[in-house]
Amino acid sequence: MKERSLHTAIHSLGIDFVELAPDRVVMSMPVGPSTHQPAGILHGGASVLLAETAASIASEINIVDKEKYAAVGLEINANHLKSKRDGMVTAVATPIHKGRKTMVWDIRISDEKCQLICISRCTVAIIEKK
């Protein structure tokens, strides 16, 4: 997976793969100028990108026939609970539903002090590759 992340938003924002398992994906992202919004705090869009990345990677791990199918984001929501100026945030994605055509993931983003920064739910479609 890491090789495929070069030259993508994952690489540009410094997102790192921490844990990759069928029922738990953990990814971290530094908080700094490249992830800030103009007020100097973590941009909600960067949090959503981290959440969807964790859910998409988790879905990919669970696809049986990776030659035939791929995971793509279908819907995501997020509640931004606490601001963050610097340091690191970590996303933990766990399954709510793992079906053949869709998967739904709960993603919780916390900081180094285990303070909840953002909660998200992401639905991922499993589509046939063309």
Side-chain angles (χ1 to χ4, degrees), residues 60-71:
E60 283 280 341
I61 290 169
N62 283 279
I63 293 174
V64 176
D65 188 351
K66 292 174 180 45
E67 295 297 316
K68 188 173 181 182
Y69 297 99

Side-chain angles (χ1 to χ4, degrees), residues 15-85:
I15 295 172
D16 194 26
F17 297 76
V18 177
E19 181 182 336
L20 300 172
D23 288 330
R24 182 177 158 93
V25 166
V26 180
M27 305 183 91
S28 64
M29 179 178 71
V31 178
S34 65
T35 58
H36 280 168
Q37 51 113 299
I41 58 175
L42 178 61
H43 194 294
S47 294
V48 171
L49 188 142
L50 176 61
E52 185 169 335
T53 300
S56 295
I57 296 296
S59 296
E60 283 280 341
I61 290 169
N62 283 279
I63 293 174
V64 176
D65 188 351
K66 292 174 180 45
E67 295 297 316
K68 188 173 181 182
Y69 297 99
V72 295
L74 182 63
E75 188 274 338
I76 190 165
N77 68 38
N79 294 99
H80 307 292
L81 306 174
K82 186 170 177 51
S83 64
K84 180 99 174 124
R85 291 195 177 279

Side-chain angles (χ1 to χ4, degrees), residues 70-117:
V72 295
L74 182 63
E75 188 274 338
I76 190 165
N77 68 38
N79 294 99
H80 307 292
L81 306 174
K82 186 170 177 51
S83 64
K84 180 99 174 124
R85 291 195 177 279
D86 56 26
M88 188 72 68
V89 290
T90 300
V92 178
T94 56
I96 296 169
H97 165 75
K98 294 195 300 185
R100 289 183 306 111
K101 298 290 182 184
T102 61
M103 297 191 194
V104 181
W105 297 88
D106 175 72
I107 306 99
R108 304 212 170 234
I109 300 174
S110 301
D111 67 7
E112 310 91 334
K113 297 176 184 173
C114 297
Q115 296 179 54
L116 201 53
I117 303 298

